Amino acid sequence: SLSFPKRNVAVANFKDHPHQVVGDKDEAEAHFPHRGDMESLKAHYESFKNTNFRQMLLQVVNLGLVATSALAIWKAMMLVTLCESPVVVVLSGSMEPGFYRGDILFLNMGKRKVDNGEIVVFNIDGRDIPIVHRSLRVHTERSTGNQEILTKGDNNYANDRGLYKPGQDWLQKKHLIGRVVGYCPYVGMLTIIMNDYPFLKYMLIGILGFFVVTSKDEM
């Protein structure tokens, strides 16, 4: 008689499960590397189905409190810095190598006059997006103290008169949002990506809202 060595061979049970292969557990997990993520999403979905109306309402209220707290912090920063927008994101490369696209800038207006060479953020009539450039020339009237400011990007060849409203040669105080007092590099890239692809912004908000609503507080 002939004897053959035993081998561990994966066997397919095509009768009961035509698509299932019985084999090593590690080998099966290798074919499904995202099984843990799917199980986590399934658990959140089951939790969502089992959540009663009162629990869901409580989670919605908690989400509203988080949004209200963020808004209150923003308003407090506006009062402290005297800026309508205390934090802005660099959207272009006109200030390279000082600031790059995606850098977050922290602003403070204060009551001090703008000095020549300071980096300021300003609005232009007819444009919604603020601009961050350096003050190239500053004229101050002795009698009134009013200032006229000419700006220029560090990476630009010419001053900003080509960007101003037709017939406008200088910026006044009403155009200024604030002066730059600090920055954090590249942190604002997520904001740029969401502005370039709005569906990602709504998808992210929807996912965060879903997880907040379906999460349960531990007693």
Side-chain angles (χ1 to χ4, degrees), residues 23-34:
D24 190 13
K25 179 181 179 181
D26 295 335
E27 181 181 355
E29 290 180 351
H31 293 303
F32 303 97
H34 303 294

Side-chain angles (χ1 to χ4, degrees), residues 173-194:
K173 184 178 180 180
K174 64 180 181 179
H175 298 108
L176 300 181
I177 297 177
R179 55 171 59 89
V180 178
V181 295
Y183 79 103
C184 190
Y186 301 115
V187 179
M189 285 303 299
L190 180 60
T191 301
I192 294 178
I193 293 174
M194 289 192 297

Side-chain angles (χ1 to χ4, degrees), residues 149-163:
I149 304 167
L150 177 64
T151 56
K152 175 184 175 297
D154 291 353
N155 200 29
N156 293 345
Y157 292 104
N159 58 48
D160 291 341
R161 280 178 176 158
L163 300 176

Side-chain angles (χ1 to χ4, degrees), residues 68-83 86:
T68 304
S69 300
L71 181 61
I73 294 174
W74 182 262
K75 293 295 184 180
M77 292 175 62
M78 292 175 60
L79 292 175
V80 172
T81 61
L82 300 179
C83 296

Side-chain angles (χ1 to χ4, degrees), residues 136-155:
L136 183 64
R137 297 175 186 173
V138 179
H139 293 165
T140 304
E141 296 183 8
R142 294 183 179 180
S143 58
T144 62
N146 294 332
Q147 287 187 308
E148 292 182 332
I149 304 167
L150 177 64
T151 56
K152 175 184 175 297
D154 291 353
N155 200 29

Side-chain angles (χ1 to χ4, degrees), residues 84-111:
E84 62 182 64
S85 182
V87 180
V88 296
V89 178
V90 179
L91 300 179
S92 70
S94 62
M95 283 299 292
E96 295 180 4
F99 301 126
Y100 291 88
R101 193 168 186 259
D103 291 353
I104 286 184
L105 306 181
F106 303 99
L107 310 182
N108 186 2
M109 190 64 230
K111 298 181 179 180

